[in-house]
Amino acid sequence: MTRIVAIGEAMVELAPAGGPDIYRAGFAGDTLNTAWYLRKLMSAADQIAYFTAVGRDAMSDRMLAFIDAAGLATDHIARRDDSSVGLYMISLTNGERSFTYWRGQSAARRMLDDAAALRTALQGADVAYLSGITLAILPDTDRARLLDVLRDFRTGGGKVVFDPNLRPRLWPDAKAMTDAVMQAAALTDIVLPSFEDEAGWFDDPTPEATATRYRDAGVDIVVVKNGPSQILVATPDRSFTVAPSPVADVRDTTAAGDSFNAGFLASYLNDGDLARACMAGAGIAAQVIQQSGALVEVQAVSGQQRG
Ligand code: AMP
């Protein structure tokens, strides 16, 4: 049995629903998306828990019920009286999606108020999964606390898996973002960056440069995603590329990276084969980008279902 704890912020999503000013409410968020797909892909004996904080209002109740109904463990989700959950709306202008966020009152920002809660959640876990958004939403002191907990988790034998998911508008400036990401990378076993973001904010000229930067920071396994282009894997012993199968009909790339991470991890934890894990990740992402929305039905790709 494998136990994974995903740490982050789930939000209410309002998406256009077929008419002007008509929206459909749902729940999403990068780490929640990955946890949601992991739950679909891993065996029932494995446990996937979500660590966050929500309020006590009706929308917080609904979010908690949604996470629970997805089969994710919710026992370490704190409830706070003083805050609620974040919200974003998707606007469509000439087919282009743009996002407006309200997350100032999000309880998830306070989830590291009590570091002991995360320590308890990680007890007996094999993997802690987080993203650059997890880092971005926390106050500086709480981010330092998170990194302390992850350091101890690794000392105890746990693995840290991190998607830098660079979102400059969540940070005071680009340097604060890149510094925090590299600090987290120094405590990471597997990093899953997307080259387009990394090139923009770290000035990496090539995916190889991205891989080298993270390897030099101490990461064991680097998997650089690059949209339809080759995925680059770098480990202490070797580096190689894996080509995702072409997707002719790309409908909505939301959650491509999040779902890739789930497919990758489910497969890698099953048999330790990195090339197969990349194919599994790409296979899930390919299904996700041919449908609209972050959370869609997918079929497990051969080699990643645990027996
Ligand atoms: P990204 O985070 O955009 O680099 O994408 C994550 C993963 O989603 C990639 O490694 C691919 O496996 C898949 N993906 C994203 N965009 C495409 C595309 N246009 N065609 C095929 N696969 C894609």
Side-chain angles (χ1 to χ4, degrees), residues 194-195 225-229 231 244-247 250 253 256-257 260 281-282 285-286 289:
S194 286
F195 179 63
K225 297 164 279 180
N226 194 6
S229 306
I231 300 151
S245 314
V247 176
V250 177
T253 56
F260 175 97
I289 64 179

Side-chain angles (χ1 to χ4, degrees), residues 167-192:
R167 293 290 181 275
R169 66 172 155 181
L170 294 179
W171 295 90
D173 55 55
K175 185 171 184 314
M177 172 176 76
T178 52
D179 284 354
V181 162
M182 293 316 290
Q183 262 179 19
L187 302 172
T188 293
D189 296 283
I190 304 178
V191 69
L192 301 161

Side-chain angles (χ1 to χ4, degrees), residues 195-282:
F195 179 63
E196 195 182 348
D197 292 351
E198 304 286 320
W201 297 102
F202 284 99
D203 290 332
D204 296 339
T206 59
E208 287 75 12
T210 302
T212 302
R213 177 168 48 77
Y214 283 115
R215 289 274 308 126
D216 289 350
V219 181
D220 200 32
I221 298 171
V222 185
V223 178
V224 187
K225 297 164 279 180
N226 194 6
S229 306
Q230 290 188 325
I231 300 151
L232 173 67
V233 180
T235 75
D237 318 315
R238 60 188 181 132
S239 65
F240 60 94
T241 55
V242 176
S245 314
V247 176
D249 176 24
V250 177
R251 193 153 166 211
D252 174 7
T253 56
T254 306
D258 306 335
S259 58
F260 175 97
N261 296 351
F264 171 90
L265 210 50
S267 177
Y268 181 69
L269 294 171
N270 189 37
D271 64 13
D273 185 314
L274 285 167
R276 192 152 43 220
C278 289
M279 287 312 296

Side-chain angles (χ1 to χ4, degrees), residues 3 5-10 31-32 35 48-56 59-80 84-85 106-108 110-112 114 117-118 120-122:
R3 183 170 138 76
V5 180
I7 308 162
E9 179 186 32
T31 47
L32 179 67
I48 324 293
Y50 199 59
F51 183 89
T52 189
V54 299
R56 292 191 184 278
M59 269 330 258
S60 295
D61 289 348
R62 282 181 59 185
M63 179 184 284
L64 210 48
F66 173 84
I67 298 172
D68 181 58
L72 300 168
T74 57
D75 27 333
H76 297 287
I77 298 183
R79 306 212 60 173
R80 300 185 63 100
S84 176
V85 288
S106 169
R110 319 283 290 279
M111 67 180 147
L112 259 293
D114 176 14
L118 181 58
T120 306
L122 288 173

